Amino acid sequence: MSEHPSDLRYTKEHEWVRIGDDGTATIGITFFAQDQLGDVVYLVLPKVGSSIEKDSKMGEVESVKSISDLFVPVSGEVLEINKDAIDHPERINEAPHDAGWLIKVKISNETELEQLMSSNEYDQAIAS
Amino acid sequence: MTTETRKPQESHQTLWDISVPGRSGVRLPESDVPVQPMPDAALLREELPLPELSELDVVRHFTRLSQKNFSIDTNFYPLGSCTMKYNPKINDMVASTPGFSGIHPLQPEETVQGALELMSNLQDMLQEITGMPASTLAPLAGAHGELSGVLMIRAFHEQNGNPERKVMLIPDSAHGTNPASASMAGFDVVTVPSDDQGNMDLKALEAVANDKLGGLMITLPSTLGLFDPGIVEVCEIVHEAGGLVYGDGANMNALLGRVKLNDLGFDVVHLNLHKTTSTPHGGGGPGAGPICVGDKLTPFMPSPVVERDSEGGVESFKLVSPPNTIGTLSAGHGNFGVLVRSYAYLRALGAGGIRQASGDAVLNANYLLKRLEHLYYLPYDRICMHEVVFSGRWQKAQGVKALDVSKRLIDYGVHPPTMYFPLIVEEALMIEPTETESKETLDAFVDVMIAIAQESGQTPEVLTEAPHNTPVGRLDEARASRQPDVRYRA
Amino acid sequence: MNDVFPHSYFPHTQAQRAEMLAVVGVGSVDELFADIPERFRNPEFHLPPALTELELGRELGGLAKKNAVPGEYASFLGAGVYRHFIPSVVSAMISRGEFLTSYTPYQPEVSQGTLQATYEFQSLICELTGMEAANAGMYDGASAMAEAALMACRITDRDSVMVLDTVNPRYRAVLDTYLLPQGITINTVSLSDLVVDETTACILAQYPNFYGGIEALGDLADTAHQAGALLSVSANPVALGMFKAPGDYGADIVSGETQPLGVSMSFGGPFVGYFTCKNEYIRQMPGRIVGRTVDHEDRIGYVLTLQTREQHIRRERATSNICTSAALIATGTAVCIAALGPGGLRQMAELSYQKAHYAASVIGAVDGYEVIDDGTWFHEFVVKCPQSSKETTKKLLLRNIIGGLDVSDSVPNGMLFCATEMNTMTEIDALADALGQIAKGS
C-alpha cells in the first residue's frame, strides 16, 4: 500500500503539493523522502512574501548526516511557512504529509500543476 | 570506592559538577614589583564564572575522561585513510625539550638557528620523498595544505593571463576537504566519475578537460585504497588542457620509498605529517600539512620557506617569502612541534625504513583483504595498497548495516574502520591496518570479523544494539542537532 | 629486492612476512606495487641514514641547543605569542596516550574522553568570552579571525570588511590570504577613519590590540550594529581574566589565540584558535562542534554535532574546509583553565598587567626612551628608542636579553615590549639598565 496520499501531487525531487479550497498550494516533502533522510534536524525555508520559481532551489532539509535541497514544485509567492516544523523538525518524520508541511504558496501559474505526478506515478518513479 | 559502586552520575560529571568555591589548582607567586595603578573599574570584569578545583581534582577528572577513549596506545585502530600507526614516544620527548618547545616564533633569526636547520632538513627530506624541487612547512593541516595548493594554482593561471581557468576537477571518491578547499579558493567544482575498477574514468576526464580547466585534485592511492595505473595519463590529459595537478597526500603511507610523485606528473602535493610520519593525532589535531611543489608553482608558495645559506662556508638559515607568494597561512611558521616529531620519525627510519613502512603497510592490508574477502563483499577485487575497502552489502541483506558491524567491533576492543566513505561504495568499511600492527593483532582482528559475520546471520540484534560495554551506548544525534547544547550551563 | 629493514617500529619477522605473502598469493612485497608504472617504480631515495633512538636524542638535542630559549634569556617578546606559566598538570594530562594517540572522535562511544574534554573547552571559552556558543577550535588565532570574517560575510550576505589598523599585522596578512580569493574587500582603517555602511559585513578588532591597547568594544558594536554589520573581536584569553568580556559589549563573533593559556610557544605552533558566536549564528560556524545529548538509556553523552555544516557532508558548500584542527591543544587549554580557576587566571592577568606597567615606568624613566601610553593597556606597550630597533635588539641580545618586537614600520625606532608573570623585577630592572647603557652607546 502506498504511503503517498492520492489527493496530493508529486515531483521527482520528492516534494508534494496539496491544493486547498482557496486555491493556495501547501508544499512538503514526501514520506519516501523523509524515510530516506532519517531523522530531520533542521530546515531552511524561503522567506514569507518572497517569490519562488518552479524548479529553483528554495531551501534545505537536513538530517544528522545529510542535506537535501528543496526545489520549488510550483511558482508563486510564499504566504506562510510552518514555524512549528522549524522549531520541531521531527514533525517531518512524524507526519510528512500533514503537520510536517513546509510552506504555503499563492500559485502564479496553474498550468504548472499539470506537470506534477499523481501518487501512482510517483510510486512508480521511486520504485524504479 | 570502585568504579562499580560509583553513582551513575559520577561517570560523566563535568568540571562544574565537581567545583567547590575557594579551591584552586595553581598558586602563582605574589607580585615582586611596586604596585601599579589598576585601570578604570568600568573596564574590568566582575564575574569570572569558572570551575574551582584542586590539583588532584583536575588530574583525576581528565585521567578518567582519557580512559573513555580508544587510542593507538590502547587499541587496534584501523581507521581507513587516517593512518593510525604507532606514534613513537621519542618524538614527543624531543619535541618537548625547552630548546624547541620554549622558543618564540618572532625571536631574532640568529637565536633560532637550530629550529630553522631542523625545518630546512625536513623540507629537504620531504622533497626527496616526493621528488618535488621545493616545499614549505607552513600549512597547519592537510586541508590547510590543500587550500594553499589550489590558491597557488589560481595564482599561476592569473599570472599567465588565464583568470578564466576556474574549474577544479575532483573525483567522486574524493575526501570532502578537496571540494571545500577548491571552493574557498574561488574554483567551481566539477566531479569526475571513477570507472568500474575504481580508477579515474579517462574518457570522462577528457570530456571536461577544456580551456576553463584550472586543475585536478586527486588522491593517490585513491580513497578506495587503489593505485590508479593510469595516473600518468591522467596528469597528461590535465596538463595538455592547460591545467595543473594537485595531489592529496593523505594516503602517502602506501608510497613511501616506492615512487616519486613529481615523476608521475604532479605539480603540488600536500603530506599529512600526522598520518604518514606518525605524529600523534591528538583526538583531532594538531596536524601539519606541508606542501611539496614543482617548478611551475614554486614562486607562488605560501610564506615562509626556510632557506639554507652556505656563504663563506658557514651554514645559516633564514625564513624567506617566495617572490609571488599567495601569502601567509597563520601567524607562525607552521606547526613546529609537529614538524620536530616528523623530523625525528624520518631520521629514525631513513630511506630503507620508509620503504619497509610502506611495504608492511601494503602487505598488512592485502593480508586482511585475502582473509576476509569470503565474508565481506569486496567491491574492487584487485591488489590494494595500504587500505582495503569492503562493502557491508552481504550483511545489509541480513538486516545489519556497516554501522552495526562497526559498533560491534567496539565490543571486541577494536576501533571501527572508516564507515560510509568513500561515498561511491555502498555500506563502505575502509580498513587501514598500518605497518606497525603485528600479524598477531591482524589475526585476532580477522577472528573478530569472522565472529561478527556469523553473528550477523545468527543474532543480528547483538550487532544492531552494539556496543554493549561502553560508557554510553549509541547516542541520540538527532536530539543533539535539533536542540544544540554546546556548552555547560549551571 | 631483498631489503628487509629491521626496526623497533615494525613488528613482523621475516618468517611472518613470508607466511603473509603466501596468503596474499604473491612472491614478494614488491609485487604488491605492480600498479605503479614500472619506469617510475623504485627510484633512489637519498635520505640521511637511519638513527637509533639513542642517536636520535643526541641529534635533536644538538639542534635544540642551537636555539636561545626565553627563560634562559630574559625575554620581553610578545606580539601574539606569550610566555606564561604552564601548570605541570597540562602536559601530564595531554601526554596520556588515550588523548594523544586517538583520532577525531567519529565514534562517540569510544571517544567520550575527547568529546567531553572538548565540550568543557567550549564551555570554558564561552564563560571567558561572554559568548553563547563555541566550536572545538581552529588552527590558530589568525586563521580563526579569517574564518570569522568569512562567516560574517555569509551571515550578512555582504562582501566587505573593515579591519582596524591596530589588529596584529600577521593576522591581517592571513586575512588577505583567506578573503581576497573570495572577492571580499578588506578595508584597513584607523579607529578615527572607521566608516561602516550597508556593504560592510563586519568590523574586525583585537582586544587588547596589537599594541596592547584596550579598544572601546561597546562603541564598535554600536557602530557595526547600526549599519547591520557584525562586530568580530579577536581576544587574548588571559586578558579576559581581568578585562570585561567582549560578549558583554555585544560582540557577535569572538575568536582568538588560545596559546597564552597552557600552550608552549614552540616556535609558533601547534596552537589552537578558539571560536565563539551568538547562538543565532551557530549554523554558520566553521569547524567541529561537540554537543551534549543522551543515549537510549538516557545516559548523558557527547557527540560531534551540526555536522552538515562541514566539508565531509556539504563538500564545496561547506562553511569551511577545516578538518583536523588542534583538539589536543584545546584539551590542554581546558586543563589549564580548570587548574587556574577564576582566582588563578585573574592573578595571572593582573600580574602580567602589573609587571608590564612597572616595566613601562622604568623604561620610560630611562633617558632617550619614550613609552607611548595613550589609554588603558594590558601587558604590551610600544617604546620609541633612541637607536634603531634593529640595533637595540642586537645590543640587548649581547646582554642575554630578548627584547621587544621591532615595530619600526609603524612607529619610528619602535619596539613592542611585553611582560608577564614570568618576568621578575630583577629581569625588568636589568632590561631598563641595558637600555640605558645602549642609549649611551655601549
Side-chain angles (χ1 to χ4, degrees), chain C residues 350-370:
Chain C
E350 288 185 359
L351 280 170
S352 300
Y353 178 94
Q354 288 286 324
K355 305 247 184 178
H357 282 73
Y358 173 72
S361 73
V362 292
I363 293 171
V366 179
D367 271 353
Y369 293 86
E370 183 195 341

Side-chain angles (χ1 to χ4, degrees), chain C residues 1-4 14:
Chain C
M1 236 182 293
N2 183 23
D3 55 352
V4 177
Q14 263 315 78

Side-chain angles (χ1 to χ4, degrees), chain A residues 18-78:
Chain A
R18 175 183 286 126
I19 307 302
D21 297 339
D22 56 356
T24 61
T26 303
I27 295 169
I29 65 166
T30 65
F31 176 88
F32 176 79
Q34 67 77 31
D35 191 49
Q36 291 285 306
L37 281 166
D39 291 330
V40 173
V41 299
Y42 191 65
L43 294 171
V44 180
L45 297 177
K47 286 198 178 85
V48 171
S50 62
S51 293
I52 54 176
E53 206 169 312
K54 185 172 164 53
D55 296 334
S56 65
K57 193 190 146 182
M58 67 169 187
E60 287 175 358
V61 50
E62 293 186 11
S63 65
V64 173
K65 281 176 184 160
S66 73
I67 37 162
S68 297
D69 288 337
L70 293 168
F71 293 95
V72 179
V74 282
S75 306
E77 183 197 333
V78 180

Side-chain angles (χ1 to χ4, degrees), chain B residues 29-40:
Chain B
E30 295 301 319
S31 177
D32 59 353
V33 297
V35 175
Q36 306 294 308
M38 290 295 280
D40 182 349

